[in-house]
Amino acid sequence: MKNIIFRLRKENFNFHNVLNINSYKKIQFFLYKMKAIIAVNNLGYIGNDNSIPWYCKEDLKHFKNKTMHQTCLVGHNTYKTLPPLKYRRIIVDRRDKYNLVAEWCIGGKKTYEKYCHLFTELHISHINDNTIGDVKYPSLDNLSKECKIYNYSF
């Protein structure tokens, strides 16, 4: 089983085509682990006009340290406004399929909500800012019970 799992992950198969959905859900945590990193301000906003509504040098440094030399999954809208991220492989999520090769989920809201059941770690940066945005913190109702949550304040 271990060899099959490694081969499927390595070749980036879409598990929905390989396994039925019930089998997929039963073994998804065993198969794949993904971390997530998100920043949220005092009012619960994570974005405005497809960008971050604040500038926090310490949080950007934290983000860089966590995701450097890693594969990052990002949603299409977030990708369109994302600055170049050196030394990271960026994968744009497709809404109709799961992408199981990224190590980090870096946004946006719909991508967090889609993959939250796979998160083993959730790194939340709480930004001391009161800017009003247009995207609120995602609903993470399906967050795995095994997920460890790390909170940071900037």
Side-chain angles (χ1 to χ4, degrees), residues 15 17 22 30 36 50-51 72 80 86 89-90 92 95-96 107 109 114 123 142 147 153:
F15 285 95
N17 294 338
N22 292 329
F30 176 73
N50 289 321
S51 65
C72 299
K80 289 190 297 187
K86 290 183 179 180
R89 180 176 171 217
I90 303 298
V92 181
R95 290 188 181 153
D96 60 337
K109 180 178 180 173
K114 178 179 175 180
H123 297 260
N142 295 328
C147 182
S153 295

Side-chain angles (χ1 to χ4, degrees), residues 46-135:
I46 65 167
N48 190 38
D49 278 338
N50 289 321
S51 65
I52 299 172
W54 57 78
Y55 177 79
C56 180
K57 188 175 182 177
E58 295 85 7
D59 181 52
L60 293 173
K61 185 176 179 181
H62 168 73
F63 175 84
K64 181 179 179 180
N65 289 336
K66 289 289 181 190
T67 62
M68 186 66 75
H69 302 290
Q70 304 284 316
T71 303
C72 299
L73 178 69
V74 64
H76 180 74
N77 289 335
T78 304
Y79 177 74
K80 289 190 297 187
T81 58
L82 196 66
L85 299 176
K86 290 183 179 180
Y87 308 112
R88 296 171 197 92
R89 180 176 171 217
I90 303 298
I91 297 174
V92 181
D93 184 43
R94 293 179 51 186
R95 290 188 181 153
D96 60 337
K97 295 184 179 182
Y98 277 87
N99 188 308
L100 301 177
V101 295
E103 296 157 296
W104 285 92
C105 178
I106 62 171
K109 180 178 180 173
K110 292 177 188 173
T111 307
Y112 289 124
E113 291 173 345
K114 178 179 175 180
Y115 288 92
C116 68
H117 63 284
L118 296 174
F119 296 165
T120 57
E121 294 180 14
L122 177 58
H123 297 260
I124 306 169
S125 294
H126 300 273
I127 309 298
N128 187 18
D129 177 84
N130 293 315
T131 304
I132 295 176
D134 58 8
V135 180

